[in-house]
Amino acid sequence: MAIRVHIPTPMRQHTDGQAVVEATGDTVQDLLDNLGKKHPGITSRIFENGQVRRFVNVYLNDEDIRYLDSLQTPIKDGDEVSIIPAVAGG
């Protein structure tokens, strides 16, 4: 089952400029691992020490995975995942 993954502009250099790519998996972790195999440079932009970086948000169908089962959140056909870097400023 292929899941659509929305890639933020700063990370598109690792997906050949594509805004949306497909990856597979049964959980968010599986999906992001599969994404990293297809687009190796993106892994270090998402993960640090095996965890999603502090300033990277991952959403499953508009729900922050931190409020679900985090990386163990199950995914199903038709779901969409969005990777969104946090924005700060003042």
Side-chain angles (χ1 to χ4, degrees), residues 2-88:
I3 305 295
R4 292 170 47 96
V5 182
H6 297 268
I7 307 297
T9 303
M11 293 184 192
R12 290 182 191 163
Q13 65 186 354
H14 304 293
T15 60
D16 300 320
Q18 296 177 78
V20 178
V21 297
E22 290 190 347
T24 59
D26 294 322
T27 65
V28 173
Q29 178 75 60
D30 294 342
L31 178 86
L32 295 176
D33 289 346
N34 181 257
L35 178 67
K37 288 178 185 166
K38 291 181 174 184
H39 306 282
I42 205 164
T43 300
S44 65
R45 299 291 304 273
I46 298 172
F47 290 102
E48 183 173 50
N49 299 323
Q51 296 297 315
V52 175
R53 288 181 171 274
R54 184 173 170 198
F55 297 109
V56 173
N57 300 308
V58 179
Y59 287 82
L60 173 65
N61 302 325
D62 300 325
E63 293 271 346
D64 190 329
I65 65 165
R66 285 181 260 200
Y67 300 107
L68 301 171
D69 289 327
S70 193
L71 291 172
Q72 298 313 309
T73 301
I75 54 177
K76 62 187 181 318
D77 198 27
D79 283 343
E80 293 195 8
V81 170
S82 298
I83 301 167
I84 302 174
V87 178

